[in-house]
Amino acid sequence: MRRTGQTSRGSRKAVIGSAGAFAAAALIAGAVAAPSATADARHHGSSTQDREAKGAAIAAAKAAKKGIDWKDCPADWALDKPIQCGWVTVPLDYAKPYGKQIKLAVDRAVSTGTKSERQGSLVYNPGGPGGSGLRFPTRVTTKNPLWTKTSKAYDFVGFDPRGVGHSAPISCIDPQEFVKAPKADPVPDTEADKLAQRKLAKEYADGCAERSGDMLPQMTTPNTARDLDVIRAGLGEKKINYLGVSYGTYLGAVYGTLFPGHVRRMIVDSVVNPAKDNIWYQANLNQDIAFQGRWNDWQDWVAKNDATFHLGTTRAAVQKQWETLRAAAKKNPIGGVVGPAELIAFFQSAPYYDSSWVPVAQVWSKYVGGDTQALVDAAAPDMSDTAGNIASENSNAVYTAVECADAKWPTSWKKWDRDNTELNKKYPFMTWANAWMNLPCATWPTKQQTPIEVKTGKGLPSVLIVQSTRDAATPYEGAVELHKRFKGSRLITEKDAGSHGVTGLVNPCINDRVDTYLLTGRTDRKDVTCTPHATPKP
């Protein structure tokens, strides 16, 4: 879920945006000495949660004492000066804080204002799970106008979460095998088609265990939240300022629950519903419904602009073109490599992000006009892009590992089959593709946890929640639910809009309130509804 542009398993590239279908110690840093290994052993009989809480405090105290040794970033990270990079060490298992350790990659762009203007570090997670936050500091170095004011007050800090990128990366399958095309049509015609997909899902789960077994039990959102607190301590901050998008909102919700007194300011944008019974099976079913709604919105827009795209003057006509395209690709993959699976992986970026509305429609229009290569270039995997393919496979592995480890999934194929068959009747665009992406969780080889109860804790400040009403990846109800759970939070609703990741778009009604909150801590006295940002123009 929360796929900051995850695409269907095996697609060429993630649709990287702000966030998530194939979709982040009350202890003052350094103020408490780390217990000895002997002391930790004495608590072995306590609950796992108690041991993990103690382990997080131990790791944070060590990080506060050590700090982060900032240096120029490695050349192959493509993060130029003045961005700096460093490492933070965390336990693989917080219940065993003196056991195996892993290193997390972090980077920063220091605040551009005066010493008196600086308010600390703003730490970012873009979603996924599986997304890297290391590009976040480039919002400062590229002088992104939406972030000019806040970059005077904050160091912009990004990190690769555990398992991602440069932070003890995990893998489930050979990257070149992962991206090769064409894949089988996600929409099954027969029981044999379903059986073949079930076999692939089981093989994928087994591959995760074979290639990354020791990491899998610890690839949970609560552990990433604990990592976030260790990063806070390593930065020398008593409290964190946090911006999370898509899955990053769930990470933020869990962090705010586990470490409420360590939050200074928090913005969550495009929100995962944090209810325990929503994580993660139900969340993905709800996502299928929302994707269909936004797919319909995009088709309406394409039809309205038929003079440009020539794909039909009504939604029904555009849908017929889509069905014709899928049928042609199923019969003979376009260019030999773009079948229905690759089409869905490419076209899903349109309901994800408004920024994709024009380019996706343009590619489709060119194809209908006879330019087959345009579609091949856009949707086919680039087998020569070794680094990109490694990143895509890693991102998908982390997505799967976190969602499978966070919660118990149904193991009955009858339930999966029944739920998705029923959904597909009314919401066919993403349903089966999403089901196959998540099906490895049905046969996951390591223990699955119970999600924590997200709630307001002592010291949690007012959290700013930002959400569009027609978001496909994280339906609007998620923002409403988190708003209820985080007492004193404020909800900014972008009405009749649906792009995923609202804070990165130009909408003064939202941008000004984000700046005010980060710079002063102030929010409106009541929740706010904003008109939508500008609709894309061909």
Side-chain angles (χ1 to χ4, degrees):
M1 171 103 198
R2 305 348 79 195
R3 307 171 170 108
T4 250
Q6 306 281 358
T7 53
S8 64
R9 189 148 54 85
S11 70
R12 176 177 57 141
K13 60 180 74 172
V15 184
I16 297 300
S18 47
F22 46 19
L27 171 71
I28 299 299
V32 177
S36 67
T38 304
D40 183 62
R42 285 201 300 269
H43 292 291
H44 188 69
S46 59
S47 73
T48 300
Q49 292 96 329
D50 288 344
R51 296 201 308 275
E52 288 170 337
K54 291 184 176 80
I58 291 167
K62 289 168 64 177
K65 184 175 181 180
K66 183 178 180 181
I68 299 173
D69 183 16
W70 295 109
K71 296 180 178 179
D72 292 343
C73 299
D76 60 350
W77 291 19
L79 296 165
D80 297 330
K81 296 180 184 180
I83 295 174
Q84 300 170 307
C85 291
W87 301 92
V88 171
T89 301
V90 301
L92 175 60
D93 180 354
Y94 277 93
K96 301 174 182 176
Y98 299 102
K100 182 176 179 179
Q101 307 288 303
I102 58 176
K103 293 170 70 175
L104 307 179
V106 295
D107 68 342
R108 71 173 182 181
V110 298
S111 58
T112 60
T114 64
K115 186 176 180 180
S116 63
E117 288 177 302
R118 186 181 182 277
Q119 297 191 41
S121 299
L122 177 62
V123 185
Y124 175 73
N125 180 273
S132 167
L134 293 181
R135 300 297 301 171
F136 180 58
T138 64
R139 297 188 187 186
V140 179
T141 58
T142 59
K143 296 181 170 56
N144 184 318
L146 291 181
W147 301 96
T148 300
K149 293 178 182 177
T150 51
S151 64
K152 289 182 179 179
Y154 294 96
D155 299 346
F156 277 28
V157 177
F159 71 104
D160 274 351
R162 60 172 51 206
V164 175
H166 306 292
S167 297
I170 67 169
S171 173
C172 292
I173 188 174
D174 177 81
Q176 295 297 95
E177 184 71 18
F178 174 76
V179 300
K180 77 176 184 180
K183 298 279 189 292
D185 185 353
V187 181
D189 291 328
T190 65
E191 290 302 312
D193 291 342
K194 294 177 182 178
L195 191 61
Q197 291 282 9
R198 291 172 63 191
K199 182 172 181 287
L200 288 173
K202 175 68 164 59
E203 289 173 353
Y204 187 82
D206 292 345
C208 294
E210 181 180 338
R211 297 169 74 99
S212 306
D214 63 332
M215 290 279 290
L216 295 189
Q218 307 303 328
M219 290 294 297
T220 66
T221 300
N223 273 344
T224 303
R226 296 177 185 110
D227 294 343
L228 184 58
D229 200 59
V230 178
I231 291 172
R232 171 202 59 78
L235 291 167
E237 306 286 5
K238 295 178 181 179
K239 295 189 176 186
I240 198 171
N241 305 285
Y242 177 78
L243 170 61
V245 186
S246 192
Y247 165 78
T249 67
Y250 184 59
L251 174 59
V254 171
Y255 183 85
T257 300
L258 294 178
F259 304 97
H262 289 190
V263 179
R264 181 175 179 267
R265 287 171 196 158
M266 177 181 287
I267 299 178
V268 287
D269 171 2
S270 304
V271 181
V272 174
N273 184 333
K276 291 172 69 173
D277 60 2
N278 189 63
I279 305 299
W280 285 105
Y281 181 75
Q282 188 62 44
N284 280 280
L285 297 180
N286 294 340
Q287 194 181 50
D288 298 335
I289 298 170
F291 255 99
Q292 188 69 47
R294 195 57 177 164
W295 172 252
N296 294 346
D297 291 348
W298 180 66
Q299 289 184 319
D300 288 339
W301 175 85
V302 170
K304 184 179 178 181
N305 291 282
D306 182 64
T308 300
F309 301 121
H310 312 296
L311 293 167
T313 57
T314 64
R315 183 199 300 173
V318 176
Q319 175 66 17
K320 187 174 181 181
Q321 281 275 23
W322 165 247
E323 292 167 0
T324 299
L325 175 61
R326 280 192 85 261
K330 183 171 183 175
K331 184 176 181 181
N332 290 300
I334 299 160
V337 287
V338 178
E342 289 71 32
L343 287 178
I344 292 174
F346 172 64
F347 275 82
Q348 67 156 347
S349 64
Y352 241 120
Y353 308 112
D354 289 7
S355 60
S356 293
W357 280 20
V358 173
V360 172
Q362 285 176 333
V363 167
W364 192 8
S365 180
K366 287 179 181 178
Y367 170 81
V368 171
D371 184 358
T372 298
Q373 193 60 42
L375 184 56
V376 173
D377 290 343
D382 181 357
M383 300 302 288
S384 67
D385 182 13
T386 302
N389 294 338
I390 290 172
S392 293
E393 190 277 327
N394 168 245
S395 180
N396 197 85
V398 175
Y399 164 82
T400 308
V402 173
E403 293 210 358
C404 293
D406 264 357
K408 294 174 175 62
W409 288 69
T411 58
S412 164
W413 167 246
K414 287 184 179 179
K415 178 171 178 58
W416 286 77
D417 193 21
R418 181 180 65 248
D419 290 347
N420 287 282
T421 298
E422 197 60 32
L423 267 183
N424 188 67
K425 293 175 184 176
K426 290 178 66 176
Y427 314 103
F429 177 65
M430 285 292 296
T431 295
W432 278 114
N434 207 10
W436 303 131
M437 181 176 180
N438 293 295
L439 190 58
C441 295
T443 57
W444 198 241
T446 62
K447 183 179 179 181
Q448 296 175 319
Q449 304 296 324
T450 299
I452 73 166
E453 187 71 36
V454 168
K455 59 185 179 181
T456 307
K458 184 179 179 181
L460 185 71
S462 179
V463 171
L464 189 63
I465 302 171
V466 188
Q467 178 80 32
S468 62
T469 57
R470 296 192 61 75
D471 190 319
T474 52
Y476 181 72
E477 292 73 22
V480 175
E481 182 66 25
L482 183 60
H483 188 28
K484 291 177 184 175
R485 289 169 180 263
F486 274 179
K487 307 301 181 186
S489 60
R490 287 290 177 266
L491 173 59
I492 299 175
T493 298
E494 189 182 26
K495 190 176 181 181
D496 299 326
S499 197
H500 191 55
V502 179
T503 54
L505 302 174
V506 177
N507 186 334
C509 178
I510 295 168
N511 307 141
D512 292 347
R513 286 177 168 84
V514 167
D515 279 348
T516 296
Y517 176 74
L518 287 175
L519 295 174
T520 70
R522 293 196 304 270
T523 60
D524 291 86
R525 295 182 65 183
K526 296 182 179 180
D527 295 339
V528 175
T529 298
C530 296
T531 55
H533 61 273
T535 302
K537 291 186 170 120

